Amino acid sequence: NAAMGIASQVNTAVSSFVSSFQTAFTPQIVKSYAAGELGYFKKLIIATSKYSYLLLLVFALPVYVCCPEVLNVWLVEVPDYAVPFCRLMLIFSLLDALQGPLWFSVQATGKIKTYQILMSLIILSNLPIAYVVLKLGYSPSSVLVVRCAINLATLFVRLWYLRRLYDFPVAEFVKDVLLRIIPITLLAYLVACVPIEVDSDIVKVVVVFAGTLVVTAGLILLLGLNKDEKS
């Protein structure tokens, strides 16, 4: 419980900025659908999903890599499982950041009944699956692994449902969002994990945060944005 509380605090601190960012986009998404501007509506959803993920990645990646050091600086005693819980919560939030605009788009249509039932059933499956996993003797971290896996599954279910609801361009989402964020994430992670020989946790955190910010921002500019977005 202590480890989960700390993981939730770290996650809230990192992801709160992206939540505000997505909230700012919501009126535009609703307005464009109401005005019948479906081309702009779909383009806005795709762009917001990508921007949300990449913004969160800038903050989440150095925290993920330096999680033991961050917790050592912050806490006197780090509870068991705090580090893996924090890391898994960050992965969950990155997946969630991708999906926020998809949910806003359903709200804009007003046709939420079937969608809510479907998503609720999938998300509620966390409980029985986590129970089974723990019964099989896996560690407490497995509960959050299950949560991340189900969140990934909901992404693809959402895309399938939106395609049926208003002909959402799934292929464009995969090409312009997923195929851009995956290489950025992998390359930035590899750079962030380069060993740094320092005696102080604080110095390591500062160096990794600064280096990761520069590298991630450069990768986003080179690989994450298309010509129009750069302009």
Side-chain angles (χ1 to χ4, degrees), residues 8 33 45 81 91 107 111-112 147 171 173 190 217 220:
S8 296
Y33 182 85
I45 294 164
Y81 301 108
I91 293 172
Q107 284 184 307
K111 303 172 183 176
I112 65 171
R147 191 179 178 191
F173 183 90
L190 290 174
I220 289 170

Side-chain angles (χ1 to χ4, degrees), residues 2-191:
M4 193 65 189
I6 290 166
S8 296
Q9 288 184 58
V10 171
N11 183 59
T12 300
V14 172
S15 61
S16 58
F17 175 69
V18 174
S19 299
S20 301
F21 170 80
Q22 289 186 341
T23 301
F25 267 88
T26 306
Q28 283 292 320
I29 291 174
V30 175
K31 180 182 175 182
S32 59
Y33 182 85
E37 299 171 348
L38 294 183
Y40 177 68
F41 170 72
K42 295 170 185 176
K43 183 178 179 181
L44 189 61
I45 294 164
I46 291 172
T48 310
S49 290
K50 180 168 65 175
Y51 298 157
S52 298
Y53 179 93
L54 293 174
L55 276 172
L56 182 56
L57 182 67
V58 170
F59 299 104
L61 184 58
V63 176
Y64 183 96
V65 172
C66 288
C67 196
E69 290 79 11
V70 169
L71 294 182
N72 283 333
V73 171
W74 179 28
L75 304 171
V76 177
E77 292 184 17
V78 180
D80 293 339
Y81 301 108
V83 171
F85 279 13
C86 284
R87 285 174 166 169
L88 288 165
M89 286 288 282
L90 290 172
I91 293 172
F92 179 88
S93 289
L94 283 166
L95 292 168
D96 235 24
L98 274 177
Q99 300 179 61
L102 303 180
W103 159 230
F104 296 150
S105 73
V106 177
Q107 284 184 307
T109 68
K111 303 172 183 176
I112 65 171
K113 178 182 175 181
T114 304
Y115 175 86
Q116 285 285 63
I117 293 171
L118 178 62
M119 289 298 109
S120 296
L121 289 173
I122 295 172
I123 293 169
L124 283 170
S125 68
N126 270 284
L127 187 58
I129 296 174
Y131 178 82
V132 170
V133 167
L134 291 174
K135 266 293 188 181
L136 292 173
Y138 289 92
S139 74
S141 299
S142 63
V143 173
L144 288 178
V145 173
V146 168
R147 191 179 178 191
C148 290
I150 290 175
N151 203 16
L152 180 61
T154 61
L155 169 62
F156 293 103
V157 174
R158 278 189 168 104
L159 292 174
W160 166 80
Y161 187 85
L162 296 188
R163 186 175 182 181
R164 291 170 59 89
L165 182 63
Y166 58 80
D167 195 28
F168 182 75
V170 175
E172 186 178 345
F173 183 90
V174 171
K175 178 184 176 183
D176 202 36
V177 181
L178 299 184
L179 294 183
R180 288 181 183 270
I181 65 172
I182 290 172
I184 290 172
T185 304
L186 293 176
L187 289 171
Y189 176 73
L190 290 174
V191 172

Side-chain angles (χ1 to χ4, degrees), residues 200-220:
S200 169
D201 286 338
I202 296 177
V203 173
K204 181 177 179 180
V205 169
V206 171
V207 170
V208 172
F209 267 69
T212 304
L213 176 63
V214 172
V215 170
T216 307
L219 289 170
I220 289 170

